[in-house]
Every structure is written in C-alpha cells, then in structure tokens.
Amino acid sequence: MTRMADDQAHRGIMYHRGGCILRMASSHIVQFQVDQKFACKRINRHGIEEATAFAKGWSDQFVANAPELPLLPLDGIVKAPLFNIQTGAVLAAPGYDKASRLYVDFYGSLPTITEKPTRAECEDALRYLLRPWRGYIETFGVDAVAIAGAVLTAAIRPTLPTAPGIILNGNVPGCGKGLFGDCLGILATGARPATINEGASEEETEKRVTSAIISGAPAVMLDNLQRPLACSALESGLTNPVAMIRRFGTLDSLEVPWRALVIVTANNPSIRRDNIRRFVPLRIVARDASPESIKFDFDPRVEVARDRAELLAAFEQITGNQATA
C-alpha cells in the first residue's frame, strides 16, 4: 500500500492527500522495503565488517513466487467500519480482517450505538445522517429519499460484494454535482474520491478507469462526463466483486477484486442501456440562471469530514448494529 502525502496524479487519476492506494509489488519495491527495515552487513576481503544491501536477486524470486508463499490475500482497503453481515457486528479497529480479506484503514472511535434502537431513534439518526446534504434539499428541492439512497450506499459500500454506482445528474453546469460527490467520498473513505477526468476517447477513459480499479481506490468519481457512459471495465466492476481487466496491449486478462464506491457526475447524461440498471440516479435541478453563485451558509465538505464518526455511527444506529474492537 502507498499513502499519498499530497494531492497527486497517478495514471491520469487525481488522488487526494491521505488516501491509500494499492501498488503492484515489484522487486525494486520489495528490495527497498527490506533495506529500510533490516541492517545487513558483510565481511569484506580485508576482514572488515561493512554495510551492504540484502542479497541481490532474492527479491525477483520473491515477487515471481508470491502466489506460492504463505502471504495474506488482500482484496482492498476500506476507510470505514466493516459489517459482519452474518453476526451483525461492526469491525472498527484498524488492521487486516481475515474473513473479508480487507484492510480496515479507519482511525477514530465511534460514539456509543444503541444495540436495539427504536423507530424514533432510527428516524433521528437518518435525519442526522442527511444533515450535510440539507442544502440540496432546501435550495434545489432534491428528493430526500434519493439522497438517503446515495448516502446509505456510500456508508455501507465496503461491506457489500457488489453495489450500484451513483450518478449525479444535473440540468445545468454549476449545480453542485462535484461537491455532492466529494461529500459522499469523504463519508465513505475520509477523503475526497479519486477523480477521473474523461479522456479524449472512449479507449482513454477505459484506461483511466482500469488504472483506478487496479490501484484499489476505495472511491472513484468520473467527473463531468460528456459522452455516453460506456465503459466495460466499470460495468464489470459494478456487477461483480471481481473486475475483469484486459492488460493494455495484450489479450491477457486480470481478475481484480474491487469494492469501490463509484460516482459519476454529468449534465443530462446519455447512459448506455446496459448501464441503467447499474446506477442509482439522483437528479439536481437548478432554477437559477447562475447556480454556481448560490452559496450555502455552511461547507458540506468540512461538515462531513468533521462529523464523520458521528455520521457513521448514525448509519450504524439505523441498522441496529453494535461496533466492536
């Protein structure tokens, strides 16, 4: 895994500070990590002890034979507590979870959660969970039920083997689609989603989406889509827990586990028929001629980031589960 120290672009995708991505192991990476953790020495021909790198060549063998070694399989990185659907427990402690084969990268503590909440308590929790998006309800009249569907999907996405993507459909530019998507990403991962800008061709967009899948980005936003949504890698990742990826320039395929939250923003998009069932639509209609000039009296991004633990606890309250260490 690699944690981004700053906002960085990786293969056409913008990753934001603090985000973790998966990196394909190479002999050079393995060699560097071992050299950083172990002080290797040797006796030279003069009988003097001196520092040296770990035995060269072993890292190539290690990477080549990794599938045969007793290593822990890693299907992805999640930035929110994990549900155990069978027991109803919630895993909030950071670390590797053997049952799901996921690494939980959640740091913080969830507030106390009622194990068996009443209907009234669940309704209060839902209102609190939707609070950062109140500007869209009050200003643009966006359906609260549609917002609830998007927010609940973002909160539970890491637990589910598959889940639909969320398409934020605006009637005009500047109606807050990107801001809405950023808030969903922050709720799901603690950071804004990895942003993919549409390529100059469908093939280039496909490559960028493929790179995001391979890197294990926990949330991806295909921003400001202009052409009809048609991406086989995205379709595969939304309907299967394992995305089928064709290696660039070859006929070989990779099977890549992927549990990312997928967000698409567009103005009056054209969606290929195969993709309609893969997305939860949310419509934002601005009546103002200059919607970009509309300002909320609060910053939704700041609010979600500040209250993330309480928002996730509200989600757990709705489901009636109790968090565990």
Side-chain angles (χ1 to χ4, degrees), residues 10-264:
H10 177 69
R11 296 185 181 178
I13 307 162
M14 175 59 72
Y15 292 94
H16 298 284
R17 181 182 303 176
C20 278
I21 66 170
L22 295 175
R23 294 179 65 189
M24 189 71 71
S26 69
S27 60
H28 297 293
I29 292 175
V30 172
Q31 183 80 47
F32 175 79
Q33 293 293 333
V34 171
D35 287 341
Q36 292 294 305
K37 291 179 172 58
F38 298 96
C40 300
K41 297 181 179 180
R42 69 173 183 176
I43 304 298
N44 64 22
R45 61 180 180 175
H46 302 295
I48 300 174
E49 187 179 83
E50 62 183 14
T52 183
F54 204 78
K56 295 187 181 298
W58 79 272
S59 53
D60 293 325
Q61 297 181 34
F62 180 88
V63 172
N65 293 283
E68 309 301 324
L69 300 175
L71 302 174
L72 295 174
L74 180 62
D75 285 354
I77 305 166
V78 297
K79 300 297 190 99
L82 270 180
F83 281 107
N84 185 319
I85 297 177
Q86 295 179 338
T87 66
V90 179
L91 178 65
Y96 179 75
D97 178 49
K98 186 176 181 179
S100 65
R101 309 201 326 181
L102 297 171
Y103 185 87
V104 180
D105 189 35
F106 176 74
Y107 293 87
S109 58
L110 293 176
T112 302
I113 303 167
T114 305
E115 188 170 356
K116 294 182 180 180
T118 64
R119 180 183 180 89
E121 288 173 327
C122 289
E123 290 175 350
D124 289 342
L126 181 58
R127 279 191 287 271
Y128 183 80
L129 185 60
L130 297 183
R131 192 171 185 275
W133 288 270
R134 63 190 179 277
Y136 290 90
I137 299 173
E138 297 167 358
T139 304
F140 297 113
V142 179
D143 185 5
V145 174
I147 294 178
V151 173
L152 292 172
T153 298
I156 199 175
R157 177 62 187 104
T159 297
L160 303 176
T162 61
I166 299 166
I167 186 160
L168 304 176
N169 176 5
N171 66 322
V172 292
C175 60
K177 303 179 298 298
L179 174 62
F180 196 116
D182 281 348
C183 291
L184 291 177
I186 293 170
L187 176 66
T189 72
R192 292 161 63 188
T195 303
I196 302 174
N197 293 318
E198 191 174 42
S201 64
E202 288 187 6
E203 292 76 13
E204 178 60 27
T205 301
E206 184 91 18
K207 289 180 181 179
R208 295 183 181 187
V209 172
T210 297
S211 294
I213 294 175
I214 293 174
S215 73
V220 172
M221 182 161 67
L222 184 54
D223 196 27
N224 198 25
L225 190 72
Q226 301 292 323
R227 290 189 296 272
L229 179 58
C231 178
S232 58
L234 195 61
E235 293 169 4
S236 175
L238 285 172
T239 53
N240 297 287
V242 177
M244 297 299 298
I245 304 297
R246 193 178 74 179
R247 291 179 184 270
F248 301 141
T250 74
L251 297 178
D252 298 331
S253 295
L254 292 173
E255 294 186 359
V256 183
W258 199 44
R259 297 196 183 200
L261 172 67
V262 176
I263 305 164
V264 176

